[in-house]
Amino acid sequence: MKVLFLSPLCPSVSLSLPPAMLAAKRQDGGLFKGPPYPGYPFIMIPDLTSPYLPNGSLSPTARTYLQMKWPLLDVQAGSLQSRQALKDARSPSPAHIVSNKVPVVQHPHHVHPLTPLITYSNEHFTPGNPPPHLPADVDPKTGIPRPPHPPDISPYYPLSPGTVGQIPHPLGWLVPQQGQPVYPITTGGFRHPYPTALTVNASMSSFSLKTSFPFNLLWGKLHEPTTQLHSFLTHTIPSMHSFLSSRFPPHMVPPHHSLHTTGIPHPAIVTPTVKQESSQSDVGSLHSSKHQDSKKEEEKKKPHIKKPLNAFMLYMKEMRAKVVAECTLKESAAINQILGRRWHALSREEQAKYYELARKERQLHMQLYPGWSARDNYVGSYGKKKKRKRDKQPGETNGEKKSAFATYKVKAAASAHPLQMEAY
DNA sequence: CCCCCTTTGAAGAGC
DNA sequence: GCTCTTCAAAGGGGG
């Protein structure tokens, strides 16, 4: 018999078991002993060669990816049904996602259908006007409806100047058959891989305009030698920025410094913000050697390449907004607990999609940053990274630190539900 | 301003 | 090979 628990703060969230009991069962060798899918438990047909079937249509895998990256695609197609299915988190049926009947809607502005495959989130793209009857996402602080997608940097993997248009992409289907890379020229919410007109998808409206900005020229430069490309970008990016600044509200124009040298920013790359040095260090810096200065400069310029998102992170990214909309809860910690439960409630097929997606993300990340290691982001490797505070047992020494992970688990279990006590 | 919290999964470190 | 630790995202809360 299934016992449902309804959260008063999130009535729509129902659980078959409270999380603490889930955790307990996992730990005591019960229902969830051991991960049901260690590593990559699902046999997925890696659709890495081409998303297109011989007849030119998209493969189911590519469609799945598209649906996840662009969940509103079918909305634009007018599929109220699928939208509803997407909305109902308690029925995570993949039908609307994996169904071959769902037509792939070509973006009206000719964006390559696979463009979102190299993005981390779908938040930056709104294919057309959102339906007016959809509940507005209101900022709890201001009461102002939030824009459906934030105006921050665009989610693309940047390419180093030397690799633009040269590297054979690991995911061959990311590259159009014409041989042109799909990486779009983008500034904030702008993307347009086949440049003639600049197309803008604003948060609540979409419009397009002809522009004198030489996107086509820029596109052509991507195939030129590195020095030429760099020179071109050096002169062009600023003018692109000023062009955008002159025509669009500030929130739609990303700061110039956020652009990679290619002009293709990505959330995986974060320029470390250099903290103002204290007066003491300022005094010291007066006598600092050139070596130190150059070291600082190097540190300053060194981009922070973030880890690729794992399956759960991708799931969280996609589902967070929905959960937040359904709940009165706003704290991420609480939302994440709900998401964690929902993750476990997903069918294997549903989870498999995210594992596959994460695998592709890792693969792409590996290709774009060959020398990168997760170690690079460990404490001390990048700017000022906090050291996670651990709970210390009374007589604990540094050599016998308790597992922070275990600590969190116990903490979570203890605070999640009173019935948890029964499980112990 | 910065860290904590909270989730899962990947990967590195250390034994 | 196993265990432990850190970091990915997110954003309210708190020091």
Side-chain angles (χ1 to χ4, degrees):
Chain A
M1 178 179 167
K2 215 174 187 181
V3 181
L4 296 181
F5 294 85
L6 298 179
S7 163
L9 292 176
C10 196
S12 65
V13 174
S14 62
L15 303 167
S16 55
L17 281 174
M21 292 178 72
L22 287 174
K25 280 188 173 294
R26 247 173 304 185
Q27 286 171 358
D28 68 8
L31 193 62
F32 289 92
K33 185 174 186 180
Y37 16 64
Y40 279 94
F42 307 107
I43 299 175
M44 302 289 295
I45 300 173
D47 200 2
L48 297 180
T49 51
S50 168
Y52 297 102
L53 298 174
N55 64 5
S57 61
L58 273 175
S59 72
T61 304
R63 256 195 301 270
T64 298
Y65 206 115
L66 278 176
Q67 290 291 338
M68 287 193 290
K69 287 293 188 183
W70 285 357
L72 294 179
L73 272 177
D74 55 349
V75 170
Q76 191 179 22
S79 171
L80 185 64
Q81 206 173 6
S82 53
R83 199 187 311 144
Q84 187 58 38
L86 190 69
K87 211 183 166 197
D88 188 359
R90 283 165 295 176
S91 57
S93 165
H96 71 286
I97 295 179
V98 297
S99 169
N100 287 346
K101 292 176 186 174
V102 177
V104 174
V105 180
Q106 180 76 24
H107 186 271
H109 306 299
H110 314 294
V111 172
H112 192 281
L114 292 177
T115 297
L117 291 174
I118 55 173
T119 73
Y120 261 123
S121 87
N122 53 37
E123 299 168 345
H124 302 267
F125 177 66
T126 303
N129 302 332
H133 62 277
L134 282 181
D137 193 6
V138 178
D139 189 314
K141 272 190 176 177
T142 62
I144 301 170
R146 292 188 191 119
H149 51 82
D152 56 4
I153 57 177
S154 275
Y156 300 104
Y157 284 113
L159 295 174
S160 65
T163 57
V164 171
Q166 294 176 13
I167 58 166
H169 200 284
L171 311 180
W173 42 267
L174 283 179
V175 179
Q177 291 172 353
Q178 299 95 319
Q180 286 190 332
V182 191
Y183 301 103
I185 307 307
T186 175
T187 308
F190 301 85
R191 62 179 66 167
H192 204 290
Y194 303 110
T196 48
L198 172 63
T199 304
V200 177
N201 282 293
S203 55
M204 296 300 288
S205 63
S206 60
F207 53 95
S208 63
L209 63 144
K210 288 282 179 183
T211 171
S212 59
F213 187 82
F215 280 106
N216 52 340
L217 196 53
L218 174 57
W219 196 251
K221 293 281 178 182
L222 291 178
H223 298 282
E224 292 188 1
T226 302
T227 50
Q228 294 179 35
L229 173 64
H230 188 268
S231 169
F232 177 82
L233 289 171
T234 302
H235 292 91
T236 309
I237 295 302
S239 59
M240 177 163 68
H241 188 261
S242 59
F243 164 79
L244 294 171
S245 301
S246 68
R247 283 167 172 76
F248 303 106
H251 74 274
M252 294 177 64
V253 184
H256 184 197
H257 59 74
S258 71
L259 291 171
H260 188 254
T261 49
T262 58
I264 306 173
H266 189 275
I269 283 199
V270 173
T271 305
T273 51
V274 177
K275 235 186 157 187
Q276 289 292 329
E277 297 294 327
S278 66
S279 56
Q280 193 177 6
S281 58
D282 279 341
V283 171
S285 67
L286 288 175
H287 307 287
S288 65
S289 64
K290 277 185 180 178
H291 175 72
Q292 279 179 320
D293 285 343
S294 61
K295 204 176 175 183
K296 275 184 184 176
E297 282 298 311
E298 261 181 47
E299 191 102 348
K300 203 194 246 179
K301 287 176 184 173
K302 190 182 176 185
H304 178 63
I305 300 169
K306 293 185 178 179
K307 292 174 72 171
L309 304 188
N310 64 38
F312 178 70
M313 287 294 149
L314 291 168
Y315 172 76
M316 281 215 313
K317 237 181 145 144
E318 185 176 305
M319 302 298 289
R320 169 178 296 279
K322 197 196 296 180
V323 172
V324 168
E326 288 175 1
C327 304
T328 57
L329 292 167
K330 289 290 174 278
E331 280 184 72
S332 285
I335 298 295
N336 291 350
Q337 282 192 340
I338 293 168
L339 286 166
R341 297 170 205 164
R342 288 196 178 185
W343 173 254
H344 285 296
L346 287 182
S347 67
R348 288 196 166 207
E349 289 75 22
E350 283 279 315
Q351 288 189 342
K353 293 185 310 190
Y354 293 95
Y355 281 113
E356 177 68 3
L357 187 53
R359 190 183 66 78
K360 287 177 179 174
E361 295 275 352
R362 282 200 306 277
Q363 196 175 12
L364 182 57
H365 193 277
M366 205 185 308
Q367 287 289 325
L368 291 173
Y369 315 112
W372 182 86
S373 159
R375 189 192 339 152
D376 299 347
N377 293 357
Y378 271 36
V379 177
S381 298
Y382 163 67
K384 187 191 167 198
K385 275 273 179 174
K386 65 183 174 198
K387 184 136 191 168
R388 183 164 279 178
K389 194 179 148 192
R390 293 187 208 116
D391 291 344
K392 252 191 177 178
Q393 300 300 325
E396 193 181 36
T397 65
N398 282 341
E400 47 188 16
K401 282 170 190 159
K402 194 176 177 181
S403 160
F405 181 68
T407 305
Y408 288 153
K409 289 285 184 198
V410 172
K411 267 191 184 171
S415 63
H417 200 284
L419 287 179
Q420 168 267 331
M421 297 310 293
E422 298 173 16
Y424 282 106

Coordinates of all heavy atoms in Angstrom, one line a residue, chain A residues 299-362:
Chain A
E299 N 46.1 34.8 -13.1 CA 45.0 34.4 -12.3 C 43.7 35.1 -12.7 O 42.6 34.5 -12.8 CB 45.3 34.6 -10.8 CG 44.3 34.0 -9.9 CD 44.9 32.7 -9.3 OE1 46.0 32.3 -9.8 OE2 44.4 32.2 -8.4
K300 N 43.9 36.4 -13.0 CA 42.7 37.2 -13.3 C 42.1 36.7 -14.7 O 40.9 36.6 -14.8 CB 43.2 38.6 -13.5 CG 42.0 39.6 -13.3 CD 42.5 41.0 -13.8 CE 42.6 42.0 -12.7 NZ 43.1 43.3 -13.1
K301 N 43.0 36.4 -15.6 CA 42.5 36.0 -16.9 C 42.0 34.6 -17.0 O 41.2 34.2 -17.8 CB 43.6 36.3 -17.9 CG 43.9 37.7 -18.2 CD 45.0 37.9 -19.2 CE 45.4 39.3 -19.4 NZ 46.6 39.5 -20.2
K302 N 42.6 33.8 -16.1 CA 42.2 32.4 -16.2 C 40.7 32.2 -16.0 O 40.2 32.5 -14.9 CB 43.0 31.6 -15.1 CG 42.9 30.1 -15.2 CD 43.7 29.5 -14.1 CE 43.6 28.0 -14.2 NZ 44.2 27.3 -13.0
P303 N 40.1 31.6 -17.0 CA 38.7 31.4 -16.8 C 38.4 30.2 -16.0 O 39.2 29.3 -15.9 CB 38.2 31.2 -18.3 CG 39.4 30.6 -18.9 CD 40.6 31.2 -18.2
H304 N 37.3 30.3 -15.3 CA 36.9 29.2 -14.5 C 35.9 28.3 -15.2 O 34.8 28.7 -15.6 CB 36.2 29.7 -13.2 CG 35.7 28.6 -12.3 ND1 36.6 27.7 -11.7 CD2 34.5 28.2 -11.9 CE1 35.9 26.9 -11.0 NE2 34.6 27.2 -11.1
I305 N 36.5 27.2 -15.6 CA 35.6 26.2 -16.3 C 34.9 25.3 -15.3 O 35.5 24.6 -14.6 CB 36.5 25.4 -17.3 CG1 37.2 26.3 -18.2 CG2 35.7 24.3 -18.0 CD1 38.3 25.6 -19.0
K306 N 33.6 25.4 -15.4 CA 32.8 24.6 -14.4 C 32.7 23.2 -14.8 O 32.8 22.8 -16.0 CB 31.5 25.3 -14.3 CG 31.6 26.7 -13.7 CD 30.2 27.2 -13.4 CE 30.3 28.6 -12.8 NZ 28.9 29.2 -12.6
K307 N 32.3 22.4 -13.9 CA 32.1 21.0 -14.1 C 30.9 20.9 -15.0 O 29.9 21.7 -14.9 CB 31.8 20.3 -12.8 CG 33.0 20.2 -11.9 CD 32.6 19.6 -10.6 CE 32.3 18.1 -10.7 NZ 32.1 17.4 -9.4
P308 N 30.9 19.9 -15.8 CA 29.6 19.6 -16.6 C 28.6 19.1 -15.6 O 28.9 18.5 -14.6 CB 30.0 18.5 -17.5 CG 31.3 17.9 -16.9 CD 32.0 19.0 -16.2
L309 N 27.4 19.4 -15.9 CA 26.3 19.0 -15.0 C 26.0 17.6 -15.1 O 26.0 17.0 -16.2 CB 25.0 19.8 -15.4 CG 25.2 21.3 -15.4 CD1 23.8 22.0 -15.5 CD2 25.8 21.8 -14.1
N310 N 25.7 17.0 -14.0 CA 25.3 15.6 -14.0 C 23.8 15.4 -14.2 O 23.1 16.4 -14.4 CB 25.8 14.9 -12.7 CG 25.1 15.4 -11.5 OD1 23.9 15.8 -11.5 ND2 25.8 15.6 -10.4
A311 N 23.4 14.2 -14.3 CA 22.0 14.0 -14.7 C 21.0 14.7 -13.7 O 20.1 15.3 -14.2 CB 21.8 12.5 -14.7
F312 N 21.3 14.6 -12.5 CA 20.4 15.2 -11.5 C 20.4 16.7 -11.6 O 19.4 17.4 -11.5 CB 20.7 14.7 -10.1 CG 19.9 15.4 -9.1 CD1 18.5 15.0 -9.0 CD2 20.4 16.3 -8.2 CE1 17.7 15.5 -8.0 CE2 19.5 16.9 -7.2 CZ 18.2 16.5 -7.1
M313 N 21.6 17.3 -11.8 CA 21.7 18.7 -12.0 C 20.9 19.2 -13.2 O 20.2 20.2 -13.2 CB 23.1 19.1 -12.1 CG 23.9 19.0 -10.8 SD 23.3 20.2 -9.6 CE 23.6 19.4 -8.1
L314 N 21.0 18.4 -14.2 CA 20.2 18.8 -15.4 C 18.7 18.7 -15.2 O 17.9 19.5 -15.6 CB 20.6 17.8 -16.6 CG 22.0 18.0 -17.1 CD1 22.4 16.9 -18.0 CD2 22.1 19.4 -17.9
Y315 N 18.4 17.7 -14.4 CA 17.0 17.5 -14.1 C 16.5 18.7 -13.2 O 15.4 19.2 -13.4 CB 16.8 16.2 -13.3 CG 15.4 16.0 -12.7 CD1 14.3 15.7 -13.6 CD2 15.2 16.1 -11.4 CE1 13.1 15.5 -13.0 CE2 14.0 16.0 -10.8 CZ 12.9 15.6 -11.6 OH 11.6 15.5 -11.1
M316 N 17.3 19.0 -12.3 CA 17.0 20.1 -11.4 C 16.8 21.4 -12.2 O 15.9 22.2 -11.9 CB 18.1 20.4 -10.3 CG 18.0 19.4 -9.2 SD 18.5 20.1 -7.6 CE 20.0 21.0 -8.1
K317 N 17.7 21.6 -13.1 CA 17.6 22.9 -13.8 C 16.3 23.0 -14.6 O 15.8 24.0 -14.8 CB 18.8 22.9 -14.8 CG 19.6 24.2 -14.6 CD 20.8 24.2 -15.5 CE 20.9 25.7 -15.9 NZ 22.1 26.3 -16.0
E318 N 15.9 21.8 -15.1 CA 14.7 21.8 -15.9 C 13.5 21.9 -15.1 O 12.5 22.6 -15.4 CB 14.7 20.5 -16.7 CG 13.5 20.5 -17.7 CD 13.6 19.3 -18.6 OE1 14.6 19.1 -19.2 OE2 12.6 18.5 -18.6
M319 N 13.5 21.3 -13.9 CA 12.3 21.2 -13.1 C 12.1 22.2 -12.0 O 11.0 22.3 -11.4 CB 12.2 19.8 -12.5 CG 12.2 18.7 -13.6 SD 10.8 18.8 -14.7 CE 9.5 18.3 -13.6
R320 N 13.2 22.9 -11.7 CA 13.1 23.8 -10.6 C 12.0 24.8 -10.7 O 11.2 25.0 -9.7 CB 14.4 24.5 -10.4 CG 14.4 25.6 -9.4 CD 15.8 26.2 -9.3 NE 16.7 25.3 -8.7 CZ 16.8 25.0 -7.4 NH1 16.0 25.7 -6.6 NH2 17.6 24.1 -7.0
A321 N 11.9 25.4 -11.8 CA 10.9 26.5 -12.0 C 9.5 26.0 -11.7 O 8.7 26.6 -11.1 CB 11.1 27.1 -13.3
K322 N 9.3 24.8 -12.2 CA 8.0 24.2 -12.1 C 7.7 23.9 -10.6 O 6.6 24.2 -10.1 CB 7.9 22.9 -12.9 CG 6.5 22.4 -13.1 CD 6.4 21.0 -13.5 CE 7.1 20.8 -14.9 NZ 7.0 19.4 -15.3
V323 N 8.6 23.4 -9.9 CA 8.4 23.1 -8.5 C 8.2 24.4 -7.7 O 7.3 24.5 -6.9 CB 9.6 22.3 -7.9 CG1 9.5 22.1 -6.4 CG2 9.7 20.9 -8.6
V324 N 9.0 25.4 -8.0 CA 8.9 26.6 -7.3 C 7.5 27.2 -7.6 O 6.8 27.8 -6.7 CB 9.9 27.6 -7.8 CG1 9.7 29.0 -7.4 CG2 11.3 27.2 -7.3
A325 N 7.0 27.1 -8.8 CA 5.7 27.6 -9.1 C 4.6 26.9 -8.4 O 3.6 27.5 -8.1 CB 5.5 27.5 -10.6
E326 N 4.8 25.6 -8.1 CA 3.8 24.8 -7.5 C 3.8 25.0 -6.0 O 2.8 24.7 -5.3 CB 4.0 23.4 -7.8 CG 3.6 23.0 -9.3 CD 4.0 21.6 -9.6 OE1 4.4 20.9 -8.7 OE2 3.7 21.2 -10.7
C327 N 4.9 25.4 -5.4 CA 5.0 25.5 -4.0 C 5.1 27.0 -3.5 O 5.4 27.9 -4.3 CB 6.3 24.8 -3.5 SG 6.4 23.1 -4.1
T328 N 4.8 27.1 -2.3 CA 5.0 28.4 -1.7 C 6.4 28.5 -1.2 O 6.9 29.6 -0.9 CB 4.1 28.6 -0.5 OG1 4.3 27.6 0.5 CG2 2.6 28.6 -0.9
L329 N 7.1 27.4 -1.2 CA 8.5 27.3 -0.8 C 9.3 28.1 -1.8 O 9.1 28.0 -3.0 CB 9.0 25.9 -0.6 CG 8.4 25.1 0.5 CD1 8.8 23.6 0.3 CD2 9.0 25.5 1.8
K330 N 10.3 28.8 -1.3 CA 11.2 29.5 -2.2 C 12.7 29.1 -1.9 O 13.5 29.3 -2.8 CB 11.0 31.0 -2.0 CG 9.7 31.5 -2.6 CD 9.7 31.4 -4.1 CE 8.3 31.8 -4.6 NZ 7.4 30.7 -4.6
E331 N 12.9 28.6 -0.8 CA 14.3 28.2 -0.4 C 14.8 27.1 -1.3 O 14.1 26.0 -1.5 CB 14.4 27.8 1.0 CG 14.5 28.9 2.0 CD 14.7 28.4 3.4 OE1 15.8 28.0 3.7 OE2 13.8 28.5 4.2
S332 N 15.9 27.3 -1.8 CA 16.5 26.3 -2.7 C 16.7 24.9 -2.0 O 16.5 23.9 -2.6 CB 17.8 26.7 -3.4 OG 17.5 27.7 -4.4
A333 N 17.1 25.0 -0.8 CA 17.4 23.8 -0.1 C 16.1 22.9 0.0 O 16.1 21.7 -0.2 CB 17.9 24.1 1.3
A334 N 15.0 23.6 0.3 CA 13.7 22.8 0.3 C 13.3 22.4 -1.1 O 12.8 21.2 -1.2 CB 12.6 23.7 0.9
I335 N 13.5 23.2 -2.0 CA 13.1 22.9 -3.4 C 14.0 21.7 -3.8 O 13.5 20.7 -4.5 CB 13.4 24.0 -4.3 CG1 12.5 25.2 -4.0 CG2 13.2 23.6 -5.8 CD1 11.0 25.0 -4.1
N336 N 15.2 21.7 -3.5 CA 16.1 20.6 -3.9 C 15.7 19.3 -3.2 O 15.8 18.2 -3.8 CB 17.5 20.9 -3.5 CG 18.1 22.0 -4.4 OD1 17.4 22.4 -5.4 ND2 19.2 22.6 -4.0
Q337 N 15.2 19.4 -2.0 CA 14.7 18.1 -1.4 C 13.5 17.5 -2.2 O 13.5 16.3 -2.4 CB 14.2 18.4 0.0 CG 15.4 18.6 1.0 CD 14.9 18.6 2.5 OE1 13.7 18.8 2.7 NE2 15.8 18.3 3.4
I338 N 12.6 18.4 -2.6 CA 11.5 18.0 -3.4 C 12.0 17.4 -4.7 O 11.5 16.3 -5.1 CB 10.5 19.1 -3.6 CG1 9.9 19.6 -2.3 CG2 9.5 18.7 -4.6 CD1 9.1 20.9 -2.4
L339 N 12.9 18.1 -5.3 CA 13.5 17.6 -6.6 C 14.1 16.3 -6.4 O 14.1 15.4 -7.3 CB 14.4 18.6 -7.1 CG 13.7 19.9 -7.7 CD1 14.7 21.0 -8.0 CD2 13.0 19.5 -9.0
G340 N 14.8 16.1 -5.3 CA 15.5 14.8 -5.0 C 14.5 13.7 -4.9 O 14.7 12.6 -5.5
R341 N 13.3 14.0 -4.3 CA 12.3 12.9 -4.2 C 11.7 12.6 -5.5 O 11.4 11.5 -5.9 CB 11.2 13.4 -3.2 CG 11.7 13.6 -1.8 CD 10.6 14.3 -1.0 NE 11.2 15.0 0.1 CZ 10.6 16.0 0.8 NH1 9.3 16.3 0.5 NH2 11.2 16.6 1.8
R342 N 11.4 13.7 -6.3 CA 10.9 13.5 -7.6 C 11.8 12.7 -8.5 O 11.4 12.0 -9.4 CB 10.5 14.9 -8.2 CG 9.3 15.5 -7.6 CD 8.8 16.6 -8.4 NE 7.6 17.2 -7.8 CZ 6.9 18.2 -8.4 NH1 7.3 18.6 -9.6 NH2 5.9 18.7 -7.9
W343 N 13.1 13.0 -8.3 CA 14.1 12.3 -9.1 C 13.9 10.8 -8.8 O 14.0 10.0 -9.8 CB 15.5 12.8 -8.7 CG 16.6 12.0 -9.3 CD1 17.4 11.1 -8.7 CD2 17.0 12.1 -10.7 NE1 18.3 10.6 -9.6 CE2 18.1 11.2 -10.8 CE3 16.5 12.8 -11.8 CZ2 18.7 11.0 -12.1 CZ3 17.2 12.6 -13.0 CH2 18.3 11.7 -13.1
H344 N 13.8 10.4 -7.6 CA 13.6 9.0 -7.3 C 12.3 8.5 -7.8 O 12.2 7.3 -8.0 CB 13.7 8.8 -5.8 CG 15.2 8.9 -5.3 ND1 16.1 8.0 -5.7 CD2 15.7 9.8 -4.5 CE1 17.3 8.4 -5.1 NE2 17.1 9.5 -4.4
A345 N 11.3 9.4 -7.9 CA 10.0 8.9 -8.4 C 10.0 8.7 -9.9 O 9.0 8.1 -10.4 CB 8.9 9.9 -7.9
L346 N 11.0 9.2 -10.6 CA 11.0 9.1 -12.0 C 11.2 7.6 -12.4 O 11.8 6.8 -11.7 CB 12.2 9.9 -12.6 CG 12.0 11.4 -12.6 CD1 13.3 12.0 -13.3 CD2 10.8 11.9 -13.3
S347 N 10.6 7.3 -13.5 CA 10.9 6.0 -14.1 C 12.3 5.9 -14.6 O 13.0 6.9 -14.8 CB 9.9 5.7 -15.2 OG 10.2 6.5 -16.3
R348 N 12.7 4.7 -14.8 CA 14.1 4.5 -15.3 C 14.2 5.1 -16.7 O 15.3 5.7 -17.0 CB 14.4 3.0 -15.4 CG 14.5 2.3 -14.0 CD 15.2 1.0 -14.2 NE 15.7 0.5 -12.9 CZ 16.7 -0.3 -12.7 NH1 17.3 -0.8 -13.8 NH2 17.1 -0.7 -11.5
E349 N 13.2 5.0 -17.4 CA 13.3 5.6 -18.8 C 13.5 7.1 -18.7 O 14.2 7.7 -19.4 CB 12.1 5.3 -19.6 CG 12.0 3.8 -20.0 CD 11.6 2.9 -18.8 OE1 11.0 3.4 -17.8 OE2 11.9 1.7 -18.9
E350 N 12.7 7.7 -17.7 CA 12.8 9.1 -17.6 C 14.2 9.5 -17.1 O 14.8 10.5 -17.6 CB 11.8 9.6 -16.5 CG 10.4 9.7 -17.1 CD 10.2 11.0 -17.8 OE1 10.6 12.0 -17.4 OE2 9.6 10.9 -18.9
Q351 N 14.7 8.8 -16.2 CA 16.0 9.1 -15.7 C 17.1 8.8 -16.7 O 18.1 9.6 -16.8 CB 16.4 8.3 -14.4 CG 15.6 8.7 -13.2 CD 16.1 8.0 -11.9 OE1 16.7 7.0 -12.0 NE2 15.7 8.6 -10.8
A352 N 16.8 7.8 -17.5 CA 17.8 7.5 -18.6 C 18.1 8.6 -19.5 O 19.2 8.9 -20.0 CB 17.3 6.3 -19.3
K353 N 17.0 9.4 -19.7 CA 17.2 10.5 -20.6 C 18.2 11.5 -20.1 O 19.0 12.1 -20.8 CB 15.8 11.2 -20.8 CG 14.8 10.4 -21.6 CD 13.6 11.2 -21.9 CE 13.1 11.9 -20.6 NZ 11.7 12.4 -20.8
Y354 N 18.1 11.7 -18.8 CA 19.0 12.7 -18.1 C 20.4 12.1 -18.0 O 21.4 12.9 -18.1 CB 18.5 13.1 -16.8 CG 17.2 13.9 -16.9 CD1 16.0 13.3 -16.8 CD2 17.2 15.2 -17.1 CE1 14.8 14.0 -16.9 CE2 16.1 16.0 -17.3 CZ 14.8 15.3 -17.1 OH 13.7 16.0 -17.3
Y355 N 20.5 10.8 -17.8 CA 21.9 10.2 -17.8 C 22.5 10.4 -19.1 O 23.7 10.7 -19.3 CB 21.8 8.8 -17.4 CG 21.6 8.5 -15.9 CD1 20.5 8.0 -15.4 CD2 22.7 8.9 -15.0 CE1 20.3 7.8 -14.0 CE2 22.5 8.7 -13.7 CZ 21.3 8.1 -13.2 OH 21.2 7.9 -11.8
E356 N 21.7 10.2 -20.1 CA 22.3 10.3 -21.5 C 22.6 11.7 -21.8 O 23.7 12.0 -22.4 CB 21.2 9.7 -22.5 CG 21.6 9.9 -24.0 CD 22.8 8.9 -24.3 OE1 23.2 8.2 -23.4 OE2 23.3 9.0 -25.4
L357 N 21.8 12.6 -21.4 CA 22.0 14.0 -21.6 C 23.3 14.4 -20.9 O 24.2 15.1 -21.5 CB 20.8 14.8 -21.1 CG 20.8 16.3 -21.3 CD1 21.0 16.6 -22.8 CD2 19.5 16.9 -20.8
A358 N 23.5 14.0 -19.7 CA 24.7 14.3 -18.9 C 25.9 13.7 -19.6 O 27.0 14.3 -19.6 CB 24.5 13.8 -17.5
R359 N 25.7 12.5 -20.1 CA 26.9 11.9 -20.8 C 27.3 12.7 -22.0 O 28.5 12.9 -22.2 CB 26.5 10.5 -21.2 CG 27.7 9.6 -21.7 CD 27.2 8.3 -22.2 NE 26.4 8.4 -23.4 CZ 26.8 8.6 -24.6 NH1 28.1 8.7 -24.8 NH2 26.0 8.7 -25.7
K360 N 26.4 13.2 -22.7 CA 26.7 14.0 -23.8 C 27.3 15.4 -23.4 O 28.2 15.9 -24.0 CB 25.5 14.3 -24.7 CG 25.0 13.1 -25.5 CD 23.7 13.3 -26.3 CE 23.4 12.1 -27.0 NZ 22.1 12.2 -27.7
E361 N 26.8 15.9 -22.3 CA 27.4 17.1 -21.8 C 28.9 16.9 -21.4 O 29.7 17.7 -21.7 CB 26.6 17.6 -20.6 CG 25.2 18.0 -20.8 CD 25.1 19.4 -21.3 OE1 26.1 20.1 -21.2 OE2 24.0 19.9 -21.7
R362 N 29.1 15.8 -20.8 CA 30.5 15.5 -20.4 C 31.4 15.3 -21.6 O 32.5 15.7 -21.6 CB 30.5 14.2 -19.5 CG 30.1 14.4 -18.1 CD 30.6 13.3 -17.2 NE 30.2 12.0 -17.7 CZ 29.1 11.4 -17.4 NH1 28.1 12.0 -16.7 NH2 28.8 10.2 -17.9

